[in-house]
Amino acid sequence: MKISARNQFKGTIIELKPGVVTAKVIIDIGGGNIISSVITMDSVDDLKLKPGDNVTAFIKSTEVMIGKE
Amino acid sequence: MKISARNQFKGTIIELKPGVVTAKVIIDIGGGNIISSVITMDSVDDLKLKPGDNVTAFIKSTEVMIGKE
Amino acid sequence: MKISARNQFKGTIIELKPGVVTAKVIIDIGGGNIISSVITMDSVDDLKLKPGDNVTAFIKSTEVMIGKE
Amino acid sequence: MKISARNQFKGTIIELKPGVVTAKVIIDIGGGNIISSVITMDSVDDLKLKPGDNVTAFIKSTEVMIGKE
Amino acid sequence: MKISARNQFKGTIIELKPGVVTAKVIIDIGGGNIISSVITMDSVDDLKLKPGDNVTAFIKSTEVMIGKE
Amino acid sequence: MKISARNQFKGTIIELKPGVVTAKVIIDIGGGNIISSVITMDSVDDLKLKPGDNVTAFIKSTEVMIGKE
């Protein structure tokens, strides 16, 4: 399946911190770049996410802000 | 100023397509990774964005989805 | 691939209105429910979206608001 | 009051899981479709949300992604 | 109807710029504060929005970032 | 640094409620207006946020909905 989100980064889960409703998932996408994600615990359980998993991070273009010095 | 968004990627604008209300801005963040952003034309004008500009892309953790094979 | 977004609705594209940077895509998910989406023209081109296509709409739980009388 | 969000689904709360800052609210919108929402505990308290409540889920068009096989 | 969005600001539309798919709506909420919104042209038409209208801006808490010097 | 987000409100943190993964931050922006934000605990720690801090709230235009009576 192709997904419309223009930002798709393959990486590996290096940290997963469960909360009550949401969880934090940290993904190493290489090149020294790390992505931090907050998803539901339901998603963590459904996808059986755990450190070491190969995953893809998806981000819609409309969610990206830009800063300039 | 420090920004709360956990995902901050420094890069260079390699494409800027103006629309009527919004614009598309493509940023090369290195390591073979490209970020696509849709922001308002007002922001493009206010920050005087143009190809070649060094910028930072900001993305909240809550906006990141995860896919797993 | 399984996607973390908790809201996933299968349906058929019944309208696609192209803009300059973004496009509107209307999806019939059955049961009398219609979903309206705004995505980039780049996504429309990449996925070759057109009316009649069978697609899935994905929405993160954090993007859903609730109203009560 | 009319709300600009193009996606508005009437339904019934079938599950409400409180967390510390956020809560998960599951809404049955009929036709076999379920909507998962994460909102603040403040909202749960302010709207006095509980299972069985008739509510409306609101989602902006810009928050909908599309996938195609 | 009460809405779960924790940020609700009453104001007056002072500018409305139509695009193809989306429109920019500028709202004066008083106290010297202005809110900029991008919504669909469908919403503008459905709510018959125009400068001078009294409206309420709604923003989910999860969409607010924080910066600190 | 200038940020593309069109909505930027300076204010003072008047409440900070930590959770497990996320935290609630309430900001008084003056003129009788209060902003509620949900950010990660990681951001709270990284920016050393606490009540009394002078901060800026950032909100993208695409995240603002409009209601009209």
Side-chain angles (χ1 to χ4, degrees):
Chain A
M1 177 179 277
K2 291 187 87 167
I3 305 287
S4 62
R6 287 304 82 196
N7 300 294
Q8 307 193 2
F9 303 108
K10 288 174 187 282
T12 304
I13 296 178
I14 56 171
E15 185 189 346
L16 194 161
K17 178 179 181 171
V20 183
V21 169
T22 58
K24 175 180 72 170
V25 183
I26 306 292
I27 303 165
D28 185 338
I29 60 167
N33 285 319
I34 298 290
I35 286 185
S36 168
S37 169
V38 171
I39 60 176
T40 58
M41 284 299 295
D42 283 356
S43 295
V44 170
D45 294 342
D46 186 26
L47 275 66
K48 297 183 175 55
L49 297 178
K50 59 186 184 306
D53 280 359
N54 294 318
V55 295
T56 302
F58 296 93
I59 303 156
K60 271 201 89 166
S61 300
T62 42
E63 305 298 352
V64 181
M65 271 170 305
I66 296 176
K68 180 180 163 185
E69 299 287 352
Chain B
M1 175 179 279
K2 290 186 87 167
I3 305 286
S4 61
R6 289 303 81 197
N7 300 294
Q8 308 193 3
F9 303 106
K10 289 175 186 283
T12 304
I13 295 177
I14 56 171
E15 185 188 345
L16 194 161
K17 179 179 181 171
V20 183
V21 168
T22 58
K24 175 181 71 170
V25 184
I26 306 293
I27 303 165
D28 185 337
I29 60 167
N33 285 320
I34 298 290
I35 285 185
S36 169
S37 168
V38 171
I39 60 176
T40 58
M41 284 300 295
D42 284 356
S43 295
V44 170
D45 294 342
D46 186 26
L47 275 65
K48 297 183 175 56
L49 296 178
K50 59 186 183 307
D53 281 358
N54 294 318
V55 295
T56 303
F58 296 93
I59 302 155
K60 271 201 91 169
S61 300
T62 42
E63 306 297 351
V64 181
M65 269 168 305
I66 296 176
K68 180 179 163 186
E69 297 288 351
Chain C
M1 178 180 277
K2 292 188 86 166
I3 304 287
S4 62
R6 288 302 82 196
N7 300 294
Q8 307 193 3
F9 303 108
K10 289 175 185 283
T12 304
I13 295 178
I14 57 171
E15 184 188 345
L16 194 161
K17 178 178 182 172
V20 183
V21 169
T22 58
K24 175 181 70 170
V25 183
I26 306 293
I27 303 165
D28 185 338
I29 59 168
N33 286 319
I34 299 290
I35 286 186
S36 169
S37 169
V38 172
I39 61 175
T40 57
M41 285 298 296
D42 283 356
S43 295
V44 170
D45 294 342
D46 186 26
L47 275 65
K48 296 183 175 56
L49 296 178
K50 59 187 182 305
D53 281 358
N54 295 318
V55 295
T56 303
F58 296 94
I59 303 156
K60 271 201 91 168
S61 300
T62 43
E63 305 298 350
V64 181
M65 269 168 306
I66 295 176
K68 180 180 163 185
E69 298 287 350
Chain D
M1 176 180 279
K2 291 188 85 167
I3 305 285
S4 61
R6 288 303 82 196
N7 300 295
Q8 308 192 3
F9 303 107
K10 289 175 186 284
T12 304
I13 296 178
I14 56 171
E15 184 188 346
L16 195 161
K17 178 178 182 171
V20 183
V21 169
T22 58
K24 174 180 72 169
V25 184
I26 306 293
I27 304 165
D28 185 337
I29 61 168
N33 286 319
I34 299 289
I35 285 186
S36 168
S37 169
V38 172
I39 61 176
T40 58
M41 285 298 296
D42 284 356
S43 295
V44 170
D45 294 341
D46 185 27
L47 275 65
K48 297 181 176 55
L49 296 178
K50 59 185 182 307
D53 281 357
N54 294 317
V55 295
T56 303
F58 296 94
I59 303 155
K60 271 201 90 169
S61 300
T62 42
E63 306 298 351
V64 181
M65 270 169 306
I66 296 176
K68 181 180 163 186
E69 298 288 350
Chain E
M1 177 179 278
K2 291 187 87 167
I3 305 286
S4 62
R6 288 302 82 196
N7 300 294
Q8 308 193 2
F9 303 108
K10 288 175 185 282
T12 305
I13 295 178
I14 57 172
E15 184 189 345
L16 195 161
K17 178 179 182 171
V20 183
V21 169
T22 58
K24 175 181 71 171
V25 184
I26 306 293
I27 303 165
D28 185 339
I29 60 168
N33 285 320
I34 299 290
I35 286 186
S36 169
S37 169
V38 171
I39 60 176
T40 57
M41 285 299 296
D42 284 356
S43 296
V44 170
D45 294 342
D46 186 27
L47 275 65
K48 297 182 175 56
L49 297 178
K50 58 186 184 307
D53 281 357
N54 294 318
V55 295
T56 302
F58 296 93
I59 302 155
K60 271 201 90 166
S61 300
T62 41
E63 305 298 351
V64 181
M65 270 169 305
I66 296 177
K68 180 179 163 187
E69 298 287 351
Chain F
M1 176 179 279
K2 292 187 86 168
I3 305 286
S4 62
R6 288 304 80 197
N7 300 294
Q8 307 194 1
F9 303 108
K10 289 175 185 283
T12 304
I13 295 178
I14 57 171
E15 185 188 346
L16 194 161
K17 178 179 183 171
V20 183
V21 168
T22 58
K24 175 181 73 169
V25 184
I26 306 294
I27 303 166
D28 185 338
I29 60 167
N33 285 320
I34 298 289
I35 285 186
S36 170
S37 170
V38 171
I39 61 176
T40 57
M41 285 298 296
D42 283 356
S43 295
V44 170
D45 293 342
D46 186 28
L47 276 65
K48 297 182 175 55
L49 296 178
K50 59 185 182 308
D53 281 358
N54 294 317
V55 294
T56 303
F58 295 94
I59 303 155
K60 272 202 89 166
S61 301
T62 41
E63 305 298 351
V64 181
M65 270 169 305
I66 296 177
K68 181 180 163 186
E69 298 286 352

